[in-house]
Amino acid sequence: MTKKLTAAVIGGGVIGGGWAARFLLNGWDVRIFDPDPEAERKIGEVLGNARHALPMLYDYAMPAEGALTFQETVAETVEGADWIQESVPERLDIKHKVYAEIQGACDAAAIIGSSTSGYKPSELQEGAARPGQIMVCHPFNPVYLLPLIEVVATDASDAATVDRACGMLTSVGLYPLRVRKEIDAHIADRFLEAVWREALWLVKDGIATTEEIDNAIRYGFGIRWAQMGLFETYRVAGGEAGMKHFIDQFGPCLKWPWTKLMDVPDLTDELAQMIADQSDAQSGHLTIRQLERKRDGNLIAMMRALKQQGNASGRLLNEHEKTMRPTLEAGTPMLSLRRTIPVDWTDVNGHMNEGRYGQIFSDASEEVMAYVGADDAYIAGGLSYFTVETTTKYLAETHAGEAVEVHSRVTEGKGKKLRCLHEMRRASDGEVMATCDQFMLHVSLETRRTCDPSPQVQKNVERLAALHSEGS
Amino acid sequence: MTKKLTAAVIGGGVIGGGWAARFLLNGWDVRIFDPDPEAERKIGEVLGNARHALPMLYDYAMPAEGALTFQETVAETVEGADWIQESVPERLDIKHKVYAEIQGACDAAAIIGSSTSGYKPSELQEGAARPGQIMVCHPFNPVYLLPLIEVVATDASDAATVDRACGMLTSVGLYPLRVRKEIDAHIADRFLEAVWREALWLVKDGIATTEEIDNAIRYGFGIRWAQMGLFETYRVAGGEAGMKHFIDQFGPCLKWPWTKLMDVPDLTDELAQMIADQSDAQSGHLTIRQLERKRDGNLIAMMRALKQQGNASGRLLNEHEKTMRPTLEAGTPMLSLRRTIPVDWTDVNGHMNEGRYGQIFSDASEEVMAYVGADDAYIAGGLSYFTVETTTKYLAETHAGEAVEVHSRVTEGKGKKLRCLHEMRRASDGEVMATCDQFMLHVSLETRRTCDPSPQVQKNVERLAALHSEGS
């Protein structure tokens, strides 16, 4: 058993609360100091969000939560702590005063990280008893979900201490990005500031509203950046001609007067080559074709995730998909579903995970339900069918990219009972890949208990069961 | 049956090929003109990617593909076409020449869209026979997956024609963003250019490498932007104090010398109020708490999607999760899995979809397999167990956020056969929520046929089956 670690969080709010949640949910003990009389409530709200959200990221249970305490003084908070995170207001005089209090009581080996986005570590270290103990550890909201931490140290910092800090951040699921030289606003906020300035111009000049700007970002480059960032995206766009060639093409653009943000570096051959070399080191182990497939796989999986949430580009997919929904015809069996297997449905064995068969048969039964009148409006009205038992036979392997069809028969349809027999076939050759015997009961969504269907649904189910028993 | 539509794609490459794929896979006929002798091969590669990727976005089959032809002249290509998309090189003289050829042969009612990122529509329309027919329709790579199209028209454009163009774009799953006034580089590329210029400084000054910059984007604000963009993200960050208050705080930053990109608008009270009003119109129907939950749901679902792909922030999650994987102990039954139900596992009935029970039991059986020695290394060595039949009973509803445990017994373990009986219980009160009788066969991953397990795995399975039959 490793020693239980303790984090001291100085300054609460959304950022301090996010840090507290990260440590606490990863099993650390957490002590908080925040003079705000509302601190406990505010941090409690962040913790509530975090307890709901962070464990959902993982396919295993997280460690048992550590102990959380609120302290009266900085000294009590930091004494013996392994990590001290400062998230007080962005005023240098306040930060210096807080560091003096912290260093008066904390272990010399403890890490003191600052959440500052505005100050360089050399500024934070000024006048400190042990300047090398203080470093920038700049997080991104929500801290309990996003992994990025910009770690910025100075020549006064001990390299082994910075290494140790990065190891501790990694151990709570964060990604320490070590910034090579200190610079105002570190790295990410420089981009945010550049975009922010451009966005202010666009709103001011009446080119676009805030919503249009958000759409211009999230329906296009935003989702690209979420998985590859800037340079790897351009590497793929550049294609086989290579990164150097692609970068050289940008030269003329930098002279264009298309933005008011105009102080740009000279794109010398040396700079273009430096970028190309760094890009090779980063992504050169994959061909452009492999990078394209990786990019597309990421985009598909993320857009499908947003589709399930019904938000952003996923909302657009749901709208467009309505035009593809077929009208079922009462055959024996009925063709209840046609679809392609997406990349995010395969597992460690290289084929579709058995859970996804369940989803396909569930989707097929939704179509059958809609056919008998238990459609979206019926469900919105408080009635539905719940599956109570399935027996599934997996007869052939199914792979991403394959088109499949489900053929369904209603084999029982009396009162509350609805039983379907589904067959999933490969569309190209009709081979049966799996079957599912699915038994459902009609329920009230209010009481969550069984009840009779509406007379119309009941009649339709009986008619379909009769038709399908004739054909069997 | 609506009339089958025809698109003419003038100029191939990655962008023209992407447009061709969009139309073709949505059932349009597509004619292509591209003088490049390699055009057919190049467009074929883009089409190959698109045919693989685009149908995976949807949970229904897409329409049957239209017919694809390559033409010898612009006139043949555009005659009678409903949509003409120009993606020729970014030189105004070339574009003007192409428009003259197009308008000499196309219907007056056809839409002529240009993929240009560099020219304004008024520049494109100069000297045209029917200037109002030409508009900017600027896509984002990969065009077959990303929905954003910046639509920019001029006073010469007929509003009804632009409306009709937007309707046609929407019908193939694209999102037309109408830019209110023409401006160099439209909207999104102005942001890309601002970030690009800042990135060049960072690389040149040795602050960060291309890979570090990509990580600074994709592990932090990139994934935020993929779902909410810039302003809605800041609205959430601003919290209950409101957007106006939040914007006002930015004022001083704009004076800071932290970037070399320095020509910034004055953040007047009027501009701050305009932004706040637009933000209210955009997101004011949701409280900050609701927006936080929406943001977190999106982030969780996207990060889990990347986790499944093993890329970007999902790769970090997989690494971190290894520290959470428990060592199984041979009890009767075994505690094979503990986890929290994520937000992306629920369905139209407001509870966990039956498919996800299948995934949980599959995950549980993977842990049992690992326990008997059929672990990742064993699978990498070419042997595994495949599930051939499951019977699942759904006993209680399961909701997002609930912690569950799976208890497993090996009920048969002879030769190639492995049978497990799993029980999923709510962690808080031990209630059995579902059971699964899972029958597996040992297979060679090379032949994809059944074969005997290794002697060690066989011995371990038999031992576990004996232990679990004693306890039953």
Side-chain angles (χ1 to χ4, degrees):
Chain A
M1 192 69 192
T2 49
K3 173 187 172 260
K4 182 137 196 171
L5 297 172
T6 299
V9 170
I10 308 297
V14 171
I15 298 300
W19 277 104
R22 257 295 163 188
F23 288 119
L24 198 68
L25 292 172
N26 277 283
W28 291 41
D29 289 336
V30 174
R31 300 186 210 134
I32 296 178
F33 172 80
D34 186 343
D36 180 353
E38 296 270 8
E40 204 155 337
R41 178 187 64 78
K42 287 182 185 169
I43 289 173
E45 285 173 6
V46 179
L47 274 175
N49 277 352
R51 286 188 179 112
H52 178 77
L54 183 57
M56 291 185 180
L57 286 182
Y58 300 102
D59 291 307
Y60 294 109
M62 297 191 72
E65 262 189 37
L68 173 69
T69 54
F70 288 83
Q71 307 290 333
E72 295 294 319
T73 66
V74 169
E76 289 171 310
T77 313
V78 304
E79 192 188 342
D82 301 279
W83 188 285
I84 298 149
Q85 187 67 28
E86 170 270 305
S87 311
V88 305
E90 290 282 78
R91 273 182 47 196
L92 200 53
D93 57 335
I94 297 180
K95 290 191 189 274
H96 284 160
K97 189 169 156 291
V98 167
Y99 297 145
E101 284 189 71
I102 291 172
Q103 294 198 319
C106 77
D107 289 354
I111 308 292
I112 303 177
S114 173
S115 303
T116 186
S117 58
Y119 293 107
K120 292 181 281 199
S122 63
E123 295 171 298
L124 302 179
Q125 291 172 349
E126 277 165 19
R130 294 181 300 271
Q133 189 175 18
I134 300 166
M135 64 190 83
V136 169
C137 293
H138 176 234
F140 292 78
N141 189 38
V143 183
Y144 51 83
L145 289 180
L146 295 182
L148 182 65
I149 304 293
E150 292 174 324
V151 175
V152 201
T154 70
D155 290 344
S157 310
D158 174 38
T161 304
V162 182
D163 284 346
R164 197 156 48 81
C166 289
M168 290 161 97
L169 292 170
T170 303
S171 77
V172 294
L174 294 165
Y175 182 84
L177 176 68
R178 289 175 74 156
V179 182
R180 288 161 186 264
K181 295 182 196 172
E182 66 170 20
I183 182 174
D184 285 306
H186 325 316
I187 296 174
D189 276 11
R190 297 184 73 86
F191 298 129
L192 291 174
E193 184 66 18
V195 167
W196 177 244
R197 289 171 182 213
E198 191 63 44
L200 289 181
W201 280 119
L202 292 174
V203 173
K204 178 180 158 57
D205 293 346
I207 308 295
T209 65
T210 60
E211 180 164 15
E212 288 158 2
I213 287 171
D214 284 353
N215 287 341
I217 293 172
R218 64 193 182 144
Y219 296 152
F221 69 86
I223 198 157
R224 276 195 322 219
W225 282 4
Q227 41 96 39
M228 280 191 170
L230 180 73
F231 285 98
E232 197 164 56
T233 296
Y234 284 157
R235 184 183 182 91
V236 185
E240 301 298 346
M243 192 69 177
K244 174 74 165 61
H245 175 76
F246 185 75
I247 300 296
D248 285 338
Q249 292 180 321
F250 272 96
C253 302
L254 292 175
K255 306 293 175 208
W256 290 13
W258 71 7
T259 171
K260 291 171 180 165
L261 310 180
M262 275 300 291
D263 187 10
V264 289
D266 280 335
L267 190 53
T268 59
D269 201 59
E270 192 189 353
L271 178 53
Q273 190 61 53
M274 186 194 290
I275 293 171
D277 289 347
Q278 290 182 1
S279 174
D280 286 350
Q282 173 183 359
S283 320
H285 61 292
L286 297 176
T287 66
I288 297 298
R289 181 49 48 101
Q290 288 172 317
L291 284 169
E292 281 173 352
R293 286 283 166 127
K294 182 173 165 180
R295 174 198 66 192
D296 288 358
N298 292 344
L299 291 177
I300 292 162
M302 282 193 295
M303 289 171 76
R304 288 189 53 80
L306 289 171
K307 181 173 188 291
Q308 192 276 337
Q309 294 292 298
N311 290 328
S313 53
R315 192 181 55 75
L316 304 179
L317 290 176
N318 285 331
E319 282 302 312
H320 188 216
E321 188 176 86
K322 285 181 190 163
T323 66
M324 301 176 194
R325 189 170 181 174
T327 309
L328 262 56
E329 285 169 37
T332 303
M334 301 168 85
L335 175 57
S336 52
L337 198 75
R338 291 172 57 234
R339 66 163 303 139
T340 297
I341 307 303
V343 283
D344 53 326
W345 285 18
T346 53
D347 68 14
V348 64
N349 282 320
H351 56 209
M352 187 163 82
N353 181 266
E354 60 206 76
R356 298 303 188 164
Y357 290 85
Q359 186 171 343
I360 282 186
F361 293 126
S362 166
D363 289 349
S365 70
E366 266 181 40
E367 297 299 322
V368 174
M369 281 166 57
Y371 178 82
V372 297
D375 55 10
D376 291 347
Y378 186 84
I379 293 169
L383 298 170
S384 190
Y385 284 96
F386 282 1
T387 300
V388 293
E389 185 168 342
T390 52
T391 297
T392 308
K393 294 184 177 156
Y394 310 87
L395 307 172
E397 294 182 76
T398 308
H399 297 100
E402 283 188 305
V404 299
E405 296 177 351
V406 180
H407 299 261
S408 303
R409 281 196 300 130
V410 173
T411 52
E412 186 177 353
K414 262 207 143 38
K416 303 167 186 173
K417 294 180 183 175
L418 175 59
R419 185 183 286 269
C420 292
L421 187 62
H422 307 286
E423 276 186 355
M424 187 182 100
R425 296 172 177 271
R426 194 183 290 118
S428 59
D429 62 4
E431 182 181 349
V432 179
M433 309 176 90
T435 64
C436 178
D437 181 6
Q438 179 188 27
F439 181 56
M440 290 175 274
L441 287 175
H442 190 272
V443 294
S444 154
L445 291 174
E446 195 186 337
T447 64
R448 313 305 275 192
R449 294 179 175 280
T450 61
C451 69
D452 284 327
S454 77
Q456 187 59 52
V457 166
Q458 178 112 33
K459 210 170 95 182
N460 291 342
V461 166
E462 283 167 15
R463 193 183 301 150
L464 205 54
L467 176 74
H468 287 174
S469 69
E470 280 170 28
S472 66
Chain B
M1 191 69 191
T2 50
K3 174 187 170 256
K4 182 136 195 172
L5 296 171
T6 299
V9 169
I10 309 296
V14 171
I15 298 300
W19 277 104
R22 254 300 161 189
F23 288 119
L24 198 67
L25 292 172
N26 277 282
W28 291 40
D29 289 336
V30 174
R31 302 187 208 131
I32 296 178
F33 173 79
D34 187 343
D36 180 354
E38 297 270 9
E40 206 156 335
R41 177 185 65 76
K42 287 181 184 170
I43 289 172
E45 284 173 6
V46 179
L47 275 174
N49 276 352
R51 285 189 179 114
H52 178 76
L54 183 58
M56 291 186 181
L57 285 182
Y58 299 103
D59 291 307
Y60 294 109
M62 298 190 73
E65 262 189 37
L68 174 69
T69 54
F70 287 83
Q71 308 290 333
E72 295 295 319
T73 65
V74 168
E76 290 171 309
T77 312
V78 303
E79 194 188 342
D82 302 280
W83 188 286
I84 298 148
Q85 186 67 28
E86 169 272 304
S87 312
V88 306
E90 289 282 78
R91 275 181 46 196
L92 200 52
D93 57 335
I94 298 180
K95 289 188 189 277
H96 283 160
K97 189 169 158 292
V98 167
Y99 296 146
E101 285 189 70
I102 291 171
Q103 293 197 320
C106 78
D107 290 353
I111 308 292
I112 303 178
S114 172
S115 302
T116 186
S117 58
Y119 293 107
K120 292 181 282 200
S122 63
E123 295 171 300
L124 302 178
Q125 291 172 348
E126 276 165 18
R130 294 181 299 273
Q133 191 176 15
I134 300 166
M135 63 191 85
V136 168
C137 293
H138 176 232
F140 291 79
N141 190 39
V143 183
Y144 51 82
L145 289 180
L146 295 183
L148 182 64
I149 304 293
E150 291 174 324
V151 176
V152 202
T154 71
D155 290 344
S157 310
D158 175 38
T161 304
V162 182
D163 284 346
R164 197 159 45 84
C166 289
M168 291 161 96
L169 292 171
T170 304
S171 76
V172 294
L174 293 166
Y175 182 83
L177 176 67
R178 289 175 73 156
V179 181
R180 288 161 186 264
K181 295 182 195 172
E182 67 170 20
I183 183 174
D184 286 305
H186 326 315
I187 297 173
D189 276 11
R190 297 185 72 86
F191 297 130
L192 292 174
E193 184 67 17
V195 167
W196 178 244
R197 287 170 185 215
E198 190 63 45
L200 289 181
W201 279 120
L202 292 174
V203 172
K204 178 180 156 60
D205 293 346
I207 308 295
T209 66
T210 60
E211 181 165 17
E212 287 158 2
I213 287 170
D214 284 353
N215 287 341
I217 293 173
R218 65 193 182 142
Y219 296 152
F221 68 86
I223 197 156
R224 277 195 321 219
W225 282 5
Q227 42 96 40
M228 281 191 169
L230 181 71
F231 286 98
E232 196 164 58
T233 296
Y234 284 157
R235 185 183 182 90
V236 186
E240 302 298 344
M243 193 68 177
K244 174 73 166 60
H245 175 76
F246 185 74
I247 301 295
D248 285 340
Q249 292 180 320
F250 273 96
C253 302
L254 292 174
K255 306 293 175 207
W256 287 14
W258 72 6
T259 170
K260 291 171 181 167
L261 310 179
M262 276 301 290
D263 187 10
V264 288
D266 279 334
L267 191 53
T268 60
D269 201 56
E270 193 189 351
L271 178 53
Q273 190 61 52
M274 185 194 290
I275 293 171
D277 290 346
Q278 291 182 359
S279 174
D280 286 351
Q282 173 183 359
S283 321
H285 60 292
L286 297 175
T287 66
I288 297 298
R289 181 48 50 99
Q290 289 171 318
L291 284 169
E292 281 173 352
R293 285 284 166 127
K294 183 174 165 180
R295 174 198 66 192
D296 288 358
N298 292 343
L299 292 177
I300 291 162
M302 283 193 295
M303 289 171 77
R304 288 189 53 80
L306 289 171
K307 181 174 187 292
Q308 193 277 335
Q309 294 291 298
N311 290 328
S313 53
R315 190 180 56 75
L316 303 180
L317 289 176
N318 285 330
E319 282 300 312
H320 188 215
E321 189 177 87
K322 285 181 190 164
T323 65
M324 300 176 195
R325 188 169 183 175
T327 308
L328 263 53
E329 284 169 37
T332 304
M334 300 169 86
L335 175 57
S336 53
L337 197 75
R338 291 172 58 234
R339 67 163 302 141
T340 295
I341 307 303
V343 283
D344 54 325
W345 285 19
T346 53
D347 67 16
V348 64
N349 281 319
H351 56 210
M352 187 163 84
N353 180 267
E354 59 206 76
R356 298 302 188 163
Y357 290 85
Q359 185 170 345
I360 283 186
F361 292 127
S362 166
D363 289 349
S365 70
E366 266 182 39
E367 297 299 322
V368 174
M369 280 167 56
Y371 179 82
V372 296
D375 54 10
D376 292 347
Y378 186 84
I379 293 169
L383 298 171
S384 190
Y385 284 96
F386 282 1
T387 301
V388 292
E389 185 168 342
T390 52
T391 297
T392 309
K393 295 185 175 152
Y394 310 87
L395 307 172
E397 294 182 75
T398 309
H399 297 100
E402 283 188 306
V404 300
E405 296 178 351
V406 180
H407 299 260
S408 304
R409 281 196 298 131
V410 173
T411 52
E412 186 177 354
K414 263 211 140 38
K416 303 166 185 175
K417 296 180 182 175
L418 175 58
R419 186 183 285 268
C420 291
L421 187 61
H422 308 285
E423 276 187 354
M424 186 182 99
R425 296 171 177 270
R426 193 183 291 116
S428 59
D429 62 4
E431 182 182 347
V432 179
M433 309 176 88
T435 63
C436 178
D437 182 4
Q438 180 189 27
F439 182 56
M440 290 175 273
L441 287 175
H442 190 273
V443 295
S444 154
L445 292 173
E446 194 186 337
T447 65
R448 314 303 276 193
R449 294 181 175 281
T450 59
C451 68
D452 283 327
S454 78
Q456 186 59 50
V457 166
Q458 179 113 32
K459 211 170 94 182
N460 291 342
V461 167
E462 283 167 15
R463 195 184 298 150
L464 205 54
L467 175 73
H468 287 173
S469 69
E470 279 171 29
S472 64

